[in-house]
Amino acid sequence: MLEVLDVWQNSNVVCFDVDSTVCIDEGIDEFAEFCGAGKVVAEWTARAMNGSVPFEDALAARLSLINPSLSQLQDFLKRPPRLSPGIDLLVKKLKDKKKDVYLVSGGFRQMINPVASILGIPLENIFANQMLFGSNGEFAGFDKNEPTSRSGGKPTAVQQIKKVGVGTTGDVVVYFKTSF
């Protein structure tokens, strides 16, 4: 336990996952439920999380099942995100200690931007996927160039954060899939 505390205290950058960590819910499952495809999408999420299906395949399948329109996404985003208890205080304490906080997620920027705003995390400190929509608001897929759009994407994003030399010294702390 002391080693963990030492890492937290001596790091300049802390990276959090979002779904089921910073937020209580799995964002894509909540969005699917909102759009009427909750049960079948939740099954795909479970497969992706247990590693039986490559993440990029599960992401594409879930989005195809939801087939959201831009207006559905905008309506969904009117609901406030459900933050995990204590995350706002933890992020505030980290920022008070001059630590950079990043959100690294297989979820979607459109859903994570409001979370970052509430927590005071700059939008440029988000590594996440982007849903794409056509000129008429029809679903057009997702940005496959995002590192988080494929298996192994979160470690790749953390490596990108390390490469740009965020902070001055210290390690990047990755804190995935834990409740507060």
Side-chain angles (χ1 to χ4, degrees), residues 28-41:
I28 195 166
D29 290 349
E30 292 297 309
F31 185 45
E33 187 68 35
F34 181 83
C35 294
K39 184 176 179 182
V40 68
V41 169

Side-chain angles (χ1 to χ4, degrees), residues 10-143:
N10 293 315
S11 298
N12 290 334
V13 179
V14 180
C15 300
F16 290 99
D17 185 32
V18 177
D19 295 321
S20 298
T21 302
V22 169
C23 291
I24 294 171
D25 308 310
E26 286 290 322
I28 195 166
D29 290 349
E30 292 297 309
F31 185 45
E33 187 68 35
F34 181 83
C35 294
K39 184 176 179 182
V40 68
V41 169
E43 291 169 2
W44 272 98
T45 299
R47 285 186 220 152
M49 292 177 88
N50 74 24
S52 65
V53 175
F55 181 77
E56 54 272 25
D57 294 347
L59 185 61
R62 292 180 290 174
L63 287 171
S64 291
L65 290 165
I66 300 169
N67 193 28
S69 67
L70 180 57
S71 65
Q72 283 176 305
L73 177 61
Q74 291 168 337
D75 288 344
F76 176 76
L77 292 175
K78 291 176 185 173
R79 303 167 19 163
R82 296 181 347 144
L83 299 179
S84 293
I87 189 62
D88 52 344
L89 296 173
L90 177 57
V91 169
K92 181 183 181 322
K93 286 182 181 184
L94 291 168
K95 290 172 58 183
D96 288 348
K97 292 182 180 281
K98 308 295 184 222
K99 297 184 187 295
D100 291 320
V101 178
Y102 282 76
L103 300 176
V104 180
S105 176
F108 297 98
R109 290 179 186 275
Q110 290 98 328
M111 295 177 201
I112 295 170
N113 288 350
V115 173
S117 178
I118 290 167
L119 297 175
I121 297 170
L123 296 182
E124 61 268 13
N125 288 16
I126 298 172
F127 282 76
N129 296 310
Q130 180 79 22
M131 277 187 262
L132 304 174
F133 296 94
S135 59
N136 293 323
E138 74 280 4
F139 179 66
F142 61 95
D143 184 350

